[in-house]
Amino acid sequence: MTGKHNQLGVVLTPIPFSFDPRHSFWRIELGKRFEQVEVWQFLSSGSLVASNKAGIAVAAGADERDVLDLEASLSSSLNQINSYLRFTNDENSKALQSLVDQFSSDSSITHKYLLGQVARMTASLALAATVKSPALVVANDLVAAIAAALVWPNGETRLVYDAQEVFIDMYRSSPADRMTESEEKFWLDLETFVCKKVHEVVTISPGISELYLERHGVSPFVLPNWVPLSSAHFAKESDQGPTKFVYMGHAAPHRGLEELITQWTSDKSTATLDLFIPERPYTQDLRKLIASHIKNFPEVAIALREPVGESQMIHTLSRFDVGVIPYAHPYPYNHCSPNKLGQYLAAGLAVISNELPFVKQIINEATCGHVYDWQIPGSFNQCVSISIADKHLVELKENARTAFLSGRNWEAIIQKWDQETNALVPVANTRVNQDWANSFVDLATYPDNHEQIIAIVGPGRLTLKQAMVSALGKIGLRDNVQTRRVFIQLSKVPVIGGVAKKIAKSMI
């Protein structure tokens, strides 16, 4: 590419931007291709009852001037939307109608929560679309992709769906209220709709790509969780002393941390194990387990360390020799692409991992480590012993560095994808979505009673956007419409524009 596109590229995320490093990788990549790049993050208000607003806020902070916060909530009577949609024959309303039809008193808690997330994000994204006109949107995870497909249904914005989570399976493994089979089918069907509607679908490993082909009839390009070249900070050759093993990540079920602790029997003079894990209730159980294990095996060295910030992770890892991936996920999460695999390679560490198809493939291709199996007695201890051998360890670490530099990095895989698909070529001639803008303007004059709205507009003439915005009329959107009008006008004025954005944020 010879120059940047003079258009807006957006990274859209249903969670705070800082929660996933992949968000920043997308922002860096779009920054190479677009004159304007923003992150639009959805910030849940936490309570549908306590919060009564829907809106946008620009410039979340001095250090994140390209972050657009989206926040919206619905009243407790979400099914009121159905009353409005019954009067519309808009062809594009079918997807939203199917969402609304799902609301019922016997729905699972998880199902209701997810429906609310989609509705809130769609409302907030629709309001943002009246102010900003992105040429390309990278929508991370299904909720964001659904909202994007509903707000830009006709290809006026190029949509990339980053399917980095296997949506249904994520909630199956969650301790939250389980969804029914019919509810799960609904979300699977809705994801199929999204996969067909967007321009590109990407995911994190070959195994997950095969799953999407089977479930949704699309074959996503594989973009593993590699880190950018600029993140590299390679480990130095070990000083005299024990080989230093490390795990850096969260503590949660199916992460194999209990097995890692209880099967660690190496003498502290030979090898040490450091665990960098955020403090959570689950971490307390691990701390007790470590204390109990050390009491039984006083010759071992296992240390639970304070977590480090994202910017310091790879630098911290470079002080170690071997990175451990203990995950013991069931299918399909055993096909994961752990962030820590990319981080270990960027730090130049040898890698040992439990049997995970994608991780095993990378370790074998790069000859940068070994694979064990928690189900086979002695497999882990043998893997540790082999890794400790001095000459062997030096070779493994060198191979890890080579693997990272030669292609297991974010730039290399993105370049390959873009060359094969032209995926990041934006839609030309973008414009602010006037249909949504008109619908929000209409809201200011609509009465609260939908029967009165029908009397004004006429049966069968209410558009999808009017129906949805009208149904959201009781949650404080009217004030946001006025703020939006002020923002649009003032933000066009030099100098005043920055102030207007701050004022708009405080008002919303």
Side-chain angles (χ1 to χ4, degrees):
M1 190 179 75
T2 57
K4 293 184 178 182
H5 300 288
N6 188 23
Q7 294 169 292
L8 173 63
V10 166
V11 179
L12 177 65
T13 165
I15 60 176
F17 168 74
S18 61
F19 281 18
D20 190 336
R22 192 170 171 102
H23 299 154
S24 66
F25 302 162
W26 278 118
R27 181 171 68 172
I28 292 169
E29 189 60 35
L30 294 188
K32 300 173 184 177
R33 301 162 184 269
F34 291 84
E35 292 289 347
Q36 307 171 64
V37 177
E38 292 185 347
V39 175
W40 293 9
Q41 62 183 8
F42 173 69
L43 302 180
S44 175
S45 54
S47 171
L48 297 182
V49 178
S51 180
N52 193 37
K53 62 182 179 179
I56 60 173
V58 183
D63 297 327
E64 293 289 353
R65 294 190 181 278
D66 61 352
V67 174
L68 178 73
D69 294 341
L70 309 177
E71 185 172 16
S73 66
L74 299 177
S75 66
S76 58
S77 56
L78 279 167
N79 56 359
Q80 287 184 0
I81 300 176
N82 189 46
S83 299
Y84 296 91
L85 290 177
R86 284 191 295 107
F87 294 96
T88 177
N89 58 8
D90 187 340
E91 188 65 25
N92 289 331
S93 69
K94 291 181 179 178
L96 184 59
Q97 179 69 60
S98 67
L99 277 171
V100 173
D101 287 343
Q102 291 293 310
F103 283 99
S104 63
S105 58
D106 58 351
S107 295
S108 68
I109 295 172
T110 299
H111 186 58
K112 287 182 177 180
Y113 165 78
L114 292 174
L115 289 170
Q117 284 289 91
V118 170
R120 293 193 303 276
M121 191 161 189
T122 303
S124 57
L125 189 59
L127 185 58
T130 69
V131 178
K132 298 279 188 174
S133 177
L136 183 143
V137 171
V138 177
N140 288 285
D141 295 334
L142 182 59
V143 170
I146 294 171
L150 291 175
V151 172
W152 295 291
N154 301 317
E156 59 264 36
T157 290
R158 188 171 184 83
L159 303 179
V160 177
Y161 171 29
D162 187 1
Q164 54 177 303
E165 295 284 358
V166 189
F167 194 76
I168 285 299
D169 303 270
M170 177 174 61
Y171 285 96
R172 283 176 180 167
S173 62
S174 168
D177 187 33
R178 293 287 297 271
M179 288 189 281
T180 65
E181 288 187 12
S182 62
E183 289 170 346
E184 287 190 352
K185 183 180 184 303
F186 164 78
W187 289 103
L188 286 170
D189 290 344
L190 190 56
E191 187 162 21
T192 299
F193 161 79
V194 168
C195 288
K196 303 291 187 181
K197 199 74 174 174
V198 301
H199 295 82
E200 298 287 340
V201 182
V202 299
T203 193
I204 57 173
S205 76
I208 301 300
S209 182
E210 292 174 5
L211 178 65
Y212 269 74
L213 179 59
E214 176 185 336
R215 285 184 175 178
H216 307 296
V218 297
S219 183
F221 193 91
V222 176
L223 296 179
N225 283 318
W226 302 139
V227 301
L229 286 166
S230 59
S231 301
H233 192 96
F234 293 138
K236 298 179 180 179
E237 295 303 326
S238 297
D239 299 325
Q240 295 298 320
T243 301
K244 298 183 287 294
F245 289 73
V246 63
Y247 167 84
M248 184 175 286
H250 291 285
H254 304 301
R255 294 218 167 192
L257 292 170
E258 295 87 354
E259 291 88 345
L260 176 59
I261 292 168
T262 58
Q263 293 196 35
W264 183 264
T265 57
S266 297
D267 190 283
K268 66 181 71 174
S269 64
T270 304
T272 61
L273 175 62
D274 287 66
L275 310 173
F276 291 83
I277 300 174
E279 191 63 47
R280 292 182 178 178
Y282 196 80
T283 314
Q284 294 295 332
D285 296 334
L286 294 181
R287 183 174 283 105
K288 294 177 183 177
L289 186 61
I290 291 171
S292 173
H293 185 66
I294 291 177
K295 185 176 181 180
N296 294 327
F297 297 88
E299 72 277 9
V300 305
I302 305 176
L304 188 60
R305 306 292 187 186
E306 291 291 324
V308 296
E310 184 72 33
S311 62
Q312 293 299 311
M313 284 183 178
I314 295 175
H315 187 275
T316 301
L317 288 171
S318 69
R319 303 201 297 261
F320 294 85
D321 301 301
V322 183
V324 185
I325 300 177
Y327 291 177
H329 291 305
Y331 179 83
Y333 277 102
N334 61 328
H335 287 276
C336 62
S337 170
N339 284 317
K340 58 188 56 56
L341 174 59
Q343 292 164 345
Y344 291 164
L345 295 181
L349 303 188
V351 182
I352 62 173
S353 173
N354 186 33
E355 284 274 355
L356 302 168
F358 177 65
V359 178
K360 180 178 181 179
Q361 174 190 334
I362 298 303
I363 289 176
N364 289 340
E365 288 177 354
T367 320
C368 63
H370 299 285
V371 177
Y372 54 90
D373 189 339
W374 289 129
Q375 303 303 314
I376 301 177
S379 174
F380 173 71
N381 300 106
Q382 182 181 14
C383 191
V384 170
S385 298
I386 294 173
S387 302
I388 289 173
D390 286 344
K391 182 179 179 181
H392 186 58
L393 180 58
V394 170
E395 293 175 350
L396 294 179
K397 292 170 71 173
E398 178 61 36
N399 291 341
R401 292 192 289 269
T402 300
F404 175 74
L405 294 173
S406 64
R408 274 79 178 192
N409 59 73
W410 182 256
E411 288 89 345
I413 195 66
I414 282 286
Q415 183 180 23
K416 183 175 186 292
W417 172 53
D418 195 31
Q419 287 176 343
E420 293 184 12
T421 64
N422 287 322
L424 296 179
V425 175
V427 170
N429 302 319
T430 58
R431 61 180 180 84
V432 171
N433 196 310
Q434 196 58 44
D435 293 336
W436 278 112
N438 291 339
S439 297
F440 277 99
V441 170
D442 290 341
L443 172 65
T445 59
Y446 280 177
D448 289 334
N449 187 292
H450 75 269
E451 298 294 348
Q452 292 178 280
I453 296 177
I454 298 305
I456 296 171
V457 179
R461 296 181 59 194
L462 198 64
T463 68
L464 163 67
K465 297 178 177 62
Q466 288 173 326
M468 182 174 179
V469 171
S470 300
L472 298 173
K474 293 183 178 180
I475 65 169
L477 269 174
R478 281 181 170 78
D479 292 338
N480 280 280
V481 170
Q482 302 303 325
T483 303
R484 181 189 62 79
R485 287 172 174 168
V486 173
F487 170 77
I488 289 175
Q489 295 303 315
L490 292 184
S491 63
K492 296 177 182 179
V493 181
V495 182
I496 295 179
V499 177
K501 292 177 181 180
K502 293 181 181 180
I503 294 174
K505 179 182 177 182
S506 66
M507 291 175 67
I508 295 173

